[in-house]
């Protein structure tokens, strides 16, 4: 961690402008940008939750990763040329050209709220296993991690984010691979026993291929993944800045494909670790304490194995990998949030004619404020029954409307501003209702929603697009 801080902070001594701080001056190599995109995909949530998911059930969650190549192809065909053609560092300037200033302001505020919730959840979920493994204080881990990322993010800017992400991406892949090999070669009957036990318990299943909308079937997760990844590639400031940081359109396409497609085999690796852990403790049940055998303890089995099952030195590598996964995502969010505060709020509403030194002051102070607020949010997560579920609900509400608005502008023709606004209002109401009211209480009984929670963003996006499109079509027809 100390090496990462020092390396990231070293970029402070390079002569740089606001453009360097935001996009690295558009001169970064495609492989480093690609590794950064990959590292942003993999948070500490992925590193710990995916093995826990596979340990508890099967590989149905991997279907989410299968949607990434589809979204990546659409991204390099449509989104990368769009944003590199606009040449504006904000992802939400495009919305202003389609629907006016309100759309840009609305989307940018939603983005900032989403990033605060995201950084808070990641820092808390990073601290949780460390607390389980070593008894370290959760607030202390959050504060140390937050300050460490804040130092190199503020001092080094976008170049520090990209290069530290690239290093952290390599560390987390190395750690995960080493862990899987140790588990497999620790099996009493050799590596093949993992496949035998996994097959016996249907651990390699991708879930049901039925068409129920109330269960997490293959199709529900695939559609959910497609919408989430279209949102990532199409309207997420984290990705747009990376499109702009490449030397050319061709390099931007290469980095986007590298980063997104690399996540597919690595997420498979995480699921494989979960299945291998299941086989490991099935073959040697005496190695797993009773308190870790409950269904609600599945997420804690991997951290327990890291401490108890790995040789000295390897434990440190895995802990470094978990921190690398979390820190890379947080640093990205801090830098992109500062960019949005400068371009979409400060320069637009406070000081349009601000000079270069003023831009740097705003970027540095905004990075600091967002980082401190993220630490506060992370500490506030402490004690929440399910931080992961809280994050999912908050992210759906804060970010769900932006993709629908973007698609309305990108696909729709002659869309009226007021009808786009009505669509957004109705879509957000649908998202809010589905996120916050999954359970209806009636006569003392609990009735679950008809639809799976993963469909929240799907329905919200579709409502925004259809309402805006149909109302505009009716108005245009009447005017003729």
């Amino acid at each position: 961690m100390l090496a990462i801080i020092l390396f990231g902070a070293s970029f402070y001594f390079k002569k740089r402008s606001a453009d360097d701080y935001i996009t690295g001056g558009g001169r970064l190599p495609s492989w480093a940008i690609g590794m950064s995109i990959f590292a942003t995909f993999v948070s500490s949530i992925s590193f710990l939750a995916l093995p826990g998911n596979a340990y508890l059930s099967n590989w149905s969650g991997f279907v989410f990763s299968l949607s990434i190549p589809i979204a990546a192809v659409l991204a390099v065909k449509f989104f990368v040329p769009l944003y590199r053609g606009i040449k504006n560092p904000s992802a939400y300037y495009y919305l202003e050209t389609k629907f006016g200033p309100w759309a840009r302001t609305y989307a940018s505020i939603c983005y900032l709220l989403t990033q605060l919730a995201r950084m808070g959840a990641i820092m808390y979920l990073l601290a949780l296993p460390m607390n389980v493994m070593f008894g370290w204080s959760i607030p202390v881990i959050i504060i140390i991690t937050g300050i460490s990322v804040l130092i190199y993010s503020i001092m080094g800017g976008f170049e520090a984010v990209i290069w530290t992400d690239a290093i952290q991406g390599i560390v987390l892949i190395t750690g995960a691979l080493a862990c899987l090999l140790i588990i497999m070669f620790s099996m009493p009957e050799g590596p093949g026993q993992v496949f035998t036990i996994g097959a016996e318990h249907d651990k390699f299943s991708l879930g049901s291929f039925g068409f129920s909308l109330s269960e997490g079937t293959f199709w529900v997760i695939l559609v959910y993944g497609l919408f989430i990844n279209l949102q990532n590639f199409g309207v997420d400031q984290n990705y747009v800045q990376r499109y702009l940081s490449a030397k050319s359109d061709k390099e931007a396409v290469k980095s986007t494909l590298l980063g997104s497609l690399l996540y597919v085999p690595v997420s498979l690796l995480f699921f494989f670790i979960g299945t291998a852990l299941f086989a490991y403790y099935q073959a040697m049940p005496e190695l797993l304490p009773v308190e870790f055998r409950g269904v609600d303890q599945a997420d804690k089995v991997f951290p327990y194995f890291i401490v108890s099952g790995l040789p000295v030195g390897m434990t440190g590598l895995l802990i470094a990998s978990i921190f690398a996964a979390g820190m890379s995502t947080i640093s990205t969010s801090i830098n992109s949030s500062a960019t949005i505060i400068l371009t979409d709020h400060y320069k637009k509403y406070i000081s349009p004619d601000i000079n270069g030194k003023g831009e740097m002051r705003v970027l540095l102070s905004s990075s600091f404020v967002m980082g401190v607020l993220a630490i506060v949010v992370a500490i506030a997560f402490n004690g929440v029954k399910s931080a992961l579920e809280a994050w999912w609900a908050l992210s759906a509400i804060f970010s769900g409307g932006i993709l629908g608005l973007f698609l309305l502008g990108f696909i729709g023709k002659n869309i009226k501003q007021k009808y786009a606004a009505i669509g957004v209002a109705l879509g957000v109401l649908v998202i809010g209702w589905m996120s916050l009211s999954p359970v209806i209480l009636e006569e003392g009984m609990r009735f679950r929603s008809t639809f799976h929670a993963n469909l929240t963003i799907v329905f919200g996006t579709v409502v925004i697009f259809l309402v805006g499109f149909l109302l505009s079509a009716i108005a245009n027809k009447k005017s003729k």
Side-chain angles (χ1 to χ4, degrees):
M1 185 180 283
L2 183 60
I4 284 287
I5 293 168
L6 292 173
F7 175 67
S10 69
F11 288 91
Y12 177 78
F13 301 100
K14 293 180 69 174
K15 187 179 179 182
R16 57 198 179 143
S17 62
D19 182 51
D20 293 324
Y21 196 88
I22 291 171
T23 63
R27 57 177 179 271
L28 295 168
S30 59
W31 74 266
I33 300 169
M35 284 300 297
S36 178
I37 290 173
F38 160 75
T40 302
F41 255 117
V42 183
S43 67
S44 49
I45 298 173
S46 311
F47 207 101
L48 296 166
L50 299 188
N53 186 268
Y55 179 90
L56 181 63
S57 55
N58 52 33
W59 287 12
S60 59
F62 179 63
V63 178
F64 176 91
S65 300
L66 297 179
S67 70
I68 291 176
I70 305 169
V73 169
L74 292 172
V76 299
K77 185 170 177 59
F78 300 111
F79 306 149
V80 173
L82 172 71
Y83 287 112
R84 285 188 65 87
I86 292 172
K87 291 185 172 63
N88 189 290
S90 168
Y92 310 112
Y93 171 77
Y94 174 73
L95 295 178
E96 182 178 21
T97 65
K98 290 289 183 177
F99 305 116
W102 73 268
R104 180 178 184 177
T105 303
Y106 162 76
S108 60
I109 290 173
C110 284
Y111 178 78
L112 293 173
L113 291 172
T114 304
Q115 294 312 300
L116 281 176
R118 183 190 197 197
M119 289 188 285
I122 287 170
M123 276 195 273
Y124 173 65
L125 290 168
L126 178 65
L128 207 56
M130 300 302 145
N131 174 261
V132 172
M133 289 190 284
F134 307 114
W136 297 347
S137 162
I138 288 177
V140 169
I141 299 169
I142 289 170
I143 290 168
I144 290 174
T145 306
I147 291 173
S148 300
V149 178
L150 205 49
I151 290 170
Y152 75 77
S153 297
I154 290 177
M155 293 184 70
F158 192 73
E159 281 187 278
V161 169
I162 291 290
W163 286 109
T164 53
D165 279 3
I167 295 168
Q168 287 161 333
I170 293 166
V171 169
L172 71 89
I173 292 173
T174 305
L177 269 174
C179 188
L180 177 61
L181 291 172
I182 287 170
I183 296 171
M184 294 189 72
F185 284 96
S186 298
M187 296 297 290
E189 298 175 18
Q193 193 177 8
V194 170
F195 296 94
T196 304
I197 294 175
E200 285 174 0
H201 292 83
D202 202 26
K203 287 292 179 180
F204 300 109
S205 167
L206 293 178
S208 166
F209 283 85
F211 292 97
S212 170
L213 295 181
S214 61
E215 300 172 9
T217 65
F218 178 94
W219 306 110
V220 165
I221 296 175
L222 186 69
V223 171
Y224 164 74
L226 185 59
F227 273 70
I228 285 288
N229 286 304
L230 282 176
Q231 179 170 288
N232 287 339
F233 289 121
V235 289
D236 192 316
Q237 179 66 24
N238 292 330
Y239 293 80
V240 172
Q241 275 181 242
R242 280 157 178 74
Y243 302 158
L244 301 176
S245 66
K247 297 174 184 176
S248 65
D249 291 3
K250 187 178 178 182
E251 293 285 293
V253 167
K254 280 167 59 179
S255 62
T256 303
L257 289 175
L258 169 64
S260 54
L261 298 182
L262 181 59
Y263 179 75
V264 179
V266 173
S267 66
L268 180 63
L269 173 62
F270 289 136
F271 279 100
F272 209 150
I273 286 173
T275 301
L277 278 173
F278 177 84
Y280 181 84
Y281 288 119
Q282 281 287 311
M284 297 172 284
E286 70 280 0
L287 297 180
L288 187 66
V290 176
E291 63 266 26
F292 289 100
R293 294 180 187 177
V295 171
D296 58 343
Q297 300 296 309
D299 284 344
K300 296 179 182 176
V301 173
F302 188 27
Y304 173 76
F305 174 80
I306 290 171
V307 172
S308 64
L310 292 177
V312 175
M314 282 305 304
T315 301
L317 175 61
L318 262 293
I319 291 169
S321 300
I322 295 169
F323 272 95
M327 291 171 71
S328 59
T329 308
I330 297 164
S331 64
T332 295
S333 293
I334 289 174
N335 186 271
S336 62
S337 297
T339 302
I340 289 299
I341 290 171
L342 172 66
T343 58
D344 290 26
H345 297 277
Y346 197 89
K347 287 179 76 171
K348 188 165 179 59
Y349 297 111
I350 299 173
S351 180
D353 300 321
I354 187 173
N355 60 24
K357 286 185 178 179
E359 288 181 337
M360 283 302 300
R361 280 196 297 271
V362 173
L363 287 168
L364 295 173
S365 57
S366 299
S367 297
F368 177 77
V369 170
M370 287 298 291
V372 170
L373 287 176
I375 292 171
V376 173
V377 172
I379 293 172
F381 267 108
N382 196 6
V384 172
K385 186 177 179 182
S386 173
L388 202 54
E389 286 184 14
W391 150 241
W392 283 338
L394 289 171
S395 65
I397 295 167
F398 291 154
S399 67
I402 306 177
L403 177 61
L405 189 60
F406 173 80
L407 293 176
L408 196 57
F410 190 74
I411 299 172
K413 302 294 181 185
N414 301 319
I415 305 296
K416 306 292 184 185
Q417 281 192 37
K418 62 180 179 180
Y419 298 132
I422 292 170
V424 168
L426 291 175
V428 170
L429 283 174
V430 168
I431 290 166
W433 175 73
M434 289 185 69
S435 298
L436 302 178
S437 308
V439 177
I440 303 171
L441 298 179
E442 186 177 310
E443 297 176 2
M445 297 179 68
R446 292 163 72 88
F447 292 94
R448 293 227 168 253
S449 169
T450 309
F451 303 108
H452 193 273
N454 284 356
L455 293 174
T456 300
I457 187 174
V458 178
F459 286 171
T461 299
V462 170
V463 165
I464 292 169
F465 181 81
L466 288 180
V467 169
F469 183 82
L470 292 175
L471 289 179
S472 295
I474 293 167
N476 290 333
K477 192 172 182 180
K478 284 182 178 179
S479 65
K480 289 180 181 179

